[in-house]
Structure formats: C-alpha cells, structure tokens
Amino acid sequence: MTVRLGDTAPDFTAPTTEGEVHFHEWLGDSWGVLFSHPKDFTPVCTTELGYVARIKPEFDKRNVKVIGLSVDDVESHLKWEGDIGETQGTPVNFPMIGDPDRKVADLYDMIHPNANDTLTVRSVFIIGPDKKVKLTLTYPASTGRNFDEILRVIDSLQLTAGYKVATPANWRDGDDVIIGSAVTDDEAKQLFPQGWKTVKPYLRVLPQPNK
Ligand code: BEZ
C-alpha cells in the first residue's frame, strides 16, 4: 500500500520491545515518527538507532513519539539493543516493532523489491496529532539518515500548523519565514500586524511569528 502525504496513517497492532502497541492509541494526541531500518545487527542501523536514542529528549520536547521497525522479531531487537547501548553510548529508549511477517512493512510499503526482496528500506513517516501523514522519506540501506533534519522538519510542520506561513530553504527554528502564497495582503495585515518585507509580490518575508 502506498502511503501519501495527507493520508490517514494506517493503524496496526504489533509487538514491540516495550509490549504490544495499538498504533493510533499509542500515538494519542502526540506527533509521531515511524521509521524502518533494514536489519538488526548491521552497522549503519546501529549508528542510527543510537543517535535517535541520544536525541530522544529533543523529540520529547516537541511532543513527538518515536517508534522503529524492522522485519526482525522483538527477541532479536532486544539482543541487538545491548550492542547499541554498549557502542553508541545511549540505550535504546523508544519501542522497536518486531515485524517478521512484514505486516506493518507491507501496510506502509517499506519493502521495495527492486532494492531488496526481503529487507525494509530506510523509511520515515512523520504523523500529526490528527493521524495524517505529514512527511515521508525513503533512503537506501547504504545511507544513514540525518535525524537532525527530521527535527528541523518537525519544527517547520508544527509552526506551519499554527500560522499561515511557510519555511524557506534550509530554514531553522528562529529564522525568518515566508507568508503562505494563498494569503492575500489584506489578510496578511490582519494576521501579521507587525508587518513584513515584500521582496517580490509572491515572496513576503517576516520574523518567525511565535518567537
Ligand atoms: C547497515 O545498516 O549497515 C546495512 C543494513 C542492510 C544492508 C546494508 C547495510
């Protein structure tokens, strides 16, 4: 099944390293990051999970729950987590879904047979509190992801959920933002009484409104 932006994130029940998870119920009112890795006891995945564990407080600060997945089972995940804690400096502090029958992997189209018949690719799904998919990413097995970028996107998604603005290239929290193109100047005067800079009629820049 292809999961696209704006779709409701498919719900599922699955075993995890922290017990059975009913996905939507587990998400509750939080944002969520569901990410897959190809296989347990592999080097790039080991560094990825260690890094996510290290920056977990950053996800917590943003009210985001993180959950990992691979097609290995929970018993294997738990054994591997010992290595991750030992080598990466932070014990894994979020649930990892065991998916040996590929139930969740198929639901989220995480197996791309022309890349590999059996292993999950490095998928990322960011899910909003409304359970809608806000971002999808797919990386190959050979390339570890930049999880600071995931945090950056979450900052943008959370900002733009509350204000009629968009964020420019390489934006970081605190940088200037852009007035959404659907917003007329008259509406913008109401929304942003502090004013903005018109670079072009379609490119209107202002300081980040919630700072
Ligand atoms: C890795 O995590 O290093 C990896 C996993 C599967 C295939 C290739 C690399």
Side-chain angles (χ1 to χ4, degrees):
M1 180 169 157
T2 306
V3 178
R4 295 181 172 163
L5 301 192
D7 291 354
T8 299
D11 197 14
F12 58 84
T13 297
T16 82
T17 49
E18 298 185 4
E20 188 169 83
V21 159
H22 305 280
F23 189 50
H24 282 196
E25 189 186 319
W26 176 81
L27 284 168
D29 296 328
S30 300
W31 290 69
V33 173
L34 167 65
F35 69 106
S36 58
H37 59 269
K39 196 168 173 46
D40 292 1
F41 300 100
T42 51
V44 176
C45 301
T46 299
T47 62
E48 285 194 324
L49 297 190
Y51 192 75
V52 172
R54 197 173 334 143
I55 64 168
K56 170 87 166 9
E58 293 297 322
F59 288 106
D60 294 341
K61 236 165 55 185
R62 292 163 173 82
N63 188 31
V64 180
K65 291 186 172 178
V66 180
I67 190 162
L69 173 146
S70 83
V71 291
D72 295 303
D73 61 22
V74 165
E75 196 185 334
S76 163
H77 291 344
L78 288 168
K79 279 193 198 131
W80 181 35
E81 285 188 1
D83 290 355
I84 297 169
E86 180 192 325
T87 62
Q88 306 301 306
T90 311
V92 176
N93 46 15
F94 52 88
M96 298 263 289
I97 297 164
D99 195 33
D101 57 4
R102 307 188 203 176
K103 190 176 110 186
V104 181
D106 285 341
L107 204 53
Y108 278 82
D109 196 27
M110 290 166 165
I111 296 178
H112 296 196
N114 290 327
N116 189 294
D117 285 355
T118 52
L119 305 181
T120 35
V121 291
R122 297 188 196 281
S123 297
V124 181
F125 297 89
I126 299 180
I127 297 154
D130 56 2
K131 312 288 183 292
K132 301 286 184 199
V133 174
K134 307 294 185 187
L135 169 136
T136 66
L137 274 180
T138 306
Y139 274 45
S142 52
T143 305
R145 286 157 286 194
N146 182 336
F147 287 93
D148 296 332
E149 167 64 1
I150 307 299
L151 290 173
R152 190 192 74 85
V153 175
I154 290 166
D155 286 339
S156 172
L157 289 169
Q158 293 186 340
L159 174 69
T160 59
Y163 295 88
K164 289 187 173 178
V165 297
T167 59
N170 293 351
W171 174 86
R172 299 196 73 85
D173 189 40
D175 290 351
D176 286 354
V177 301
I178 293 167
I179 298 176
S181 49
V183 178
T184 63
D185 279 352
D186 280 346
E187 193 187 352
K189 279 182 200 147
Q190 307 298 317
L191 294 172
F192 310 113
Q194 71 277 29
W196 63 88
K197 181 179 160 198
T198 301
V199 182
K200 289 282 179 188
Y202 56 84
L203 177 54
R204 297 163 295 173
V205 178
L206 78 163
Q208 184 172 328
N210 61 348
K211 289 286 173 184

